[in-house]
Amino acid sequence: MSSTGENAPKEFVYPVEVEKLDVGYPEQRVLLEKISFKVAPGEIVGLLGPSGCGKSTLLRHLVGLEPIKSGQIRLFGQDLWAGGGVHIDSLRRKFGIMYQGGALFGNLNLIENVAMPLKEFSNLPQGAIMVAARLKLSLVGLEGFEHHLPSSLSGGMQKRAAIARALSLEPKLLFLDEPSAGLDPVTSAGLDGLIVTLARNLNLAFVIVTHELGSIMTTIDRAILFDKEKKGIVAEGTPDFLANHSETLEAKAFFRRGSNNSRTTHA
Amino acid sequence: MPLPLAINKPLELTFTADDTVALQGDLDATVPAKVWDKLLKRPASASSASIAPSKSLTLDLSGLTVLDLNGAAQLLWLKSIFEKKEMTVSIKDVPENFSPIWDLACRTLAPRAPLPSKDTLIETVGHHFSDFFKDMTALIAFLGEVIANFILLIPHPLKVRWKTTLAITEKAVVNALPVTALVAFLVGLILAFQAAMFMKLFGVDIFVADLVGLSIIRELGTLLTAIVLTGRSGSAFSAELGAMKINQEIDAFLTMGLSPTRDLALPRVIALTLATPLLTILADFAGLLGGNVVMITRGYPVSVFWTELSGHLSTSDLGTGLFKSLVFGFTVAAIGCQRGLATGSGPGAVGEATTKGVVTNIVVLATLDSVFAVLFYVLNW
Ligand SMILES: Nc1ncnc2c1ncn2[C@@H]1O[C@H](COP(=O)(O)OP(=O)(O)OP(=O)(O)O)[C@@H](O)[C@H]1O
Ligand SMILES: [Mg+2]
């Protein structure tokens, strides 16, 4: 009933709309003040900023884990915090999330971890679910580890398995908290490639918190740079623009640190 | 839900030609139940119609509005099922915008890796048996390690972590006073009450005092204290050390050149070993008090109970009880610590270690108590 023109070619809702949101924990100082941004379908948005500036907290707000104090979050056009728990739950099925620490279910093996959302929320036959889960695990380079428990894997492998699980329902929106931290450059590049493929071909929107300059430059369409002191967004744009043309001090610092590093490794 | 993204065209199958099936709609996780049944049951019905079952099947994807990885997985699953029935499946007309996804899925999914074969019954039994022995070896080795560490520290008493030991004594023993006393008091009461009912028949209910006294001081006071400590402190030790193991704190300890046995387990073992006899004395007293209360209700003055008791109890009775409690205190703490330090990995591991610690402790307590009973009988203590 909301659509004005049934055959409008490119009508879409924004997967994420954030308006004048205060980020922070109750009874503590606000970490980020009145921030606003939008994420379009198929867009890969990077949330950048110094450690402790509140990126993970912002993600917790976005996925409905941490109540917000003021402002508004709309996912797919719906106000996340307007309704009660049931409302949030129904919205939650529309996105996937990978937590900073992986957060795999320790008592399930990898394939069961990845298959679980499909088992819970779809009517697919068991065999097809298993193939789908195997496919997701292979995508993140974990074929052969289907029957391992998370605890018997390395940190990077757990991370990749967590991404596979976030992909389980192939939601149109994925939140990834530091997906490539702790991964070797090759795996990390493979992961970046996967993210781009999914975004371009399935129109998945990604909101990625990351510090990896390599991933930032190759994957991200639009970077949003937060700052701890200014408690807000200090720069926004393509990584290329922020790295080479932005006059913002924080952006220069953030991206120059990377070039410094590469110089020192070169020497 | 009126969500734009949830607008899905449920998948439909159209059987166009004999061996071609056209798929229309969304091929993703929203595929309705039983859609595939139609397709999977089809060859059977074809053969029952006495037409030779077709050896090939073509899936026409041109009508798909969505194809994602979950959809591709379903196609691959179908393919594998039909290929098991020795049919060839071909996919045609993958819409151009979905072909990267389809290609990605085909490229990614390696041939099925063989599942790890399940153990046979004999293997399972064998594994359990050998695990049990390894477990016991580890446990006994640890007990030895604790004792060795203790002996090594005797010439350097200041190196023992007395502060930790005292803190643990307070937490594990002093705070256990009320519950131990209560349990012992009630057991003494019940024991005396049951015995008195029966002995009254023979007019010998004065001997209730001896019965309660002997059982409490030689056996029950000691055992009850040990069991309370198992549940209260042994399990806490397992959980504490297990959590440290999981958080790699134990690893950090080791790499700093510290010894978990000496610095973590030993203070706990010393605390419990030294304090258990004291706690046992309290439990004994509480148990006797329980017996005394019953005697009073039966009309015997307080002094009669104690006089009767002192006539039949010897110091060796008290001595055996306290000696046992010393040993029990040691095993409860040491086993609790060993189980904690031997915690595996994973979220259930700490719980598992705690359970294992309590079970091992109770089994060991019961076994040791029987061994002591025989030993003391032979030695005539
Ligand atoms: N559960 C919590 N309750 C209260 N404060 C918290 C909680 N979790 C984190 N904080 C505080 O919020 C601030 C931001 O933390 P957050 O995890 O969002 O940072 P971040 O930007 O994700 O950093 P990093 O890049 O290191 O992951 C920190 O100062 C932290 O101390
Ligand atoms: Mg974080």
Side-chain angles (χ1 to χ4, degrees), chain B residues 92-171:
Chain B
K92 78 165 192 190
D93 292 342
V94 182
E96 202 174 319
N97 47 337
F98 300 138
S99 67
I101 287 297
W102 175 239
D103 291 344
L104 180 69
C106 292
R107 221 174 336 121
T108 312
L109 208 58
R112 185 175 242 308
L115 289 176
S117 57
K118 283 239 162 67
D119 283 355
T120 62
L121 180 67
I122 293 182
E123 281 171 327
T124 316
V125 172
H127 279 309
H128 279 300
F129 208 64
S130 89
D131 283 351
F132 175 77
F133 273 104
K134 272 186 213 153
D135 215 44
M136 281 299 139
T137 319
L139 189 63
I140 292 169
F142 182 80
L143 295 185
E145 209 185 320
V146 171
I147 294 174
N149 266 294
F150 181 71
I151 292 173
L152 284 179
L153 281 179
I154 289 179
H156 318 280
L158 288 182
K159 279 201 178 164
V160 178
R161 298 175 174 262
W162 291 116
K163 239 175 140 176
T164 326
T165 311
L166 274 183
I168 292 166
T169 312
E170 184 186 350
K171 215 162 84 177

Side-chain angles (χ1 to χ4, degrees), chain A residues 43-93:
Chain A
E43 193 183 20
I44 307 175
V45 169
L47 306 181
L48 320 180
S51 175
C53 73
K55 303 178 299 291
S56 296
T57 314
L58 171 59
L59 276 194
R60 288 178 63 83
H61 288 314
L62 286 173
V63 300
L65 284 177
E66 195 65 46
I68 56 175
K69 285 183 241 175
S70 76
Q72 199 182 40
I73 297 174
R74 283 194 300 279
L75 297 184
F76 302 106
Q78 296 207 331
D79 188 344
L80 178 66
W81 290 100
V86 180
H87 173 74
I88 291 185
D89 277 348
S90 76
L91 266 175
R92 274 188 184 141
R93 265 166 237 171

Side-chain angles (χ1 to χ4, degrees), chain B residues 85-282:
Chain B
K85 296 183 189 164
E86 304 196 335
M87 289 176 66
T88 53
V89 180
S90 44
I91 309 275
K92 78 165 192 190
D93 292 342
V94 182
E96 202 174 319
N97 47 337
F98 300 138
S99 67
I101 287 297
W102 175 239
D103 291 344
L104 180 69
C106 292
R107 221 174 336 121
T108 312
L109 208 58
R112 185 175 242 308
L115 289 176
S117 57
K118 283 239 162 67
D119 283 355
T120 62
L121 180 67
I122 293 182
E123 281 171 327
T124 316
V125 172
H127 279 309
H128 279 300
F129 208 64
S130 89
D131 283 351
F132 175 77
F133 273 104
K134 272 186 213 153
D135 215 44
M136 281 299 139
T137 319
L139 189 63
I140 292 169
F142 182 80
L143 295 185
E145 209 185 320
V146 171
I147 294 174
N149 266 294
F150 181 71
I151 292 173
L152 284 179
L153 281 179
I154 289 179
H156 318 280
L158 288 182
K159 279 201 178 164
V160 178
R161 298 175 174 262
W162 291 116
K163 239 175 140 176
T164 326
T165 311
L166 274 183
I168 292 166
T169 312
E170 184 186 350
K171 215 162 84 177
V173 184
V174 179
N175 296 350
L177 287 177
V179 62
T180 317
L182 177 73
V183 171
F185 175 79
L186 289 178
V187 167
L189 195 87
I190 294 162
L191 194 65
F193 186 71
Q194 296 289 352
M197 299 233 289
F198 185 70
M199 289 182 165
K200 178 88 181 158
L201 297 178
F202 304 93
V204 289
D205 48 357
I206 178 70
F207 289 128
V208 167
D210 303 295
L211 183 122
V212 172
L214 270 177
S215 355
I216 292 277
I217 286 178
R218 282 194 78 110
E219 290 291 340
L220 290 178
T222 316
L223 210 53
L224 282 176
T225 312
I227 288 175
V228 168
L229 285 181
T230 300
R232 228 183 142 272
S233 311
S235 59
F237 294 169
S238 302
E240 272 167 25
L241 298 187
M244 288 180 78
K245 177 87 185 276
I246 296 270
N247 293 335
Q248 299 189 317
E249 283 174 56
I250 302 284
D251 293 350
F253 236 78
L254 281 169
T255 46
M256 277 192 249
L258 298 168
S259 149
T261 314
R262 188 190 60 213
D263 299 318
L264 294 173
L266 199 58
R268 291 175 165 77
V269 174
I270 292 180
L272 230 56
T273 310
L274 295 186
T276 310
L278 302 180
L279 204 58
T280 303
I281 292 177
L282 173 91

Side-chain angles (χ1 to χ4, degrees), chain A residues 56 100 177-178:
Chain A
S56 296
Q100 199 162 1
D177 199 352
E178 306 204 11

Side-chain angles (χ1 to χ4, degrees), chain A residues 13 76 78 90 94 106 118 122-125 127-128 131-132 134-136 138-139 147 151 168-170 172 198 201-202, chain B residues 1 3-5 28-29 31 33 36 67-70 73-74 77 100-101 104-105 108-110 112 115-116 345-347:
Chain A
V13 285
F76 302 106
Q78 296 207 331
S90 76
K94 317 263 178 237
L118 274 177
S122 83
N123 292 314
L124 303 187
V131 176
R134 224 150 47 79
L135 175 59
K136 309 284 163 56
S138 302
L139 273 180
H147 299 279
S151 52
S168 185
L169 288 172
E170 269 160 85
K172 288 292 172 200
L198 292 171
N201 296 300
L202 290 175
Chain B
M1 293 297 298
L3 280 179
L5 284 177
D28 57 11
V31 168
W36 299 122
L67 172 67
D68 67 3
L69 291 169
N70 284 328
Q74 292 172 65
W77 168 70
I101 287 297
L104 180 69
T108 312
L109 208 58
R112 185 175 242 308
L115 289 176
S345 51

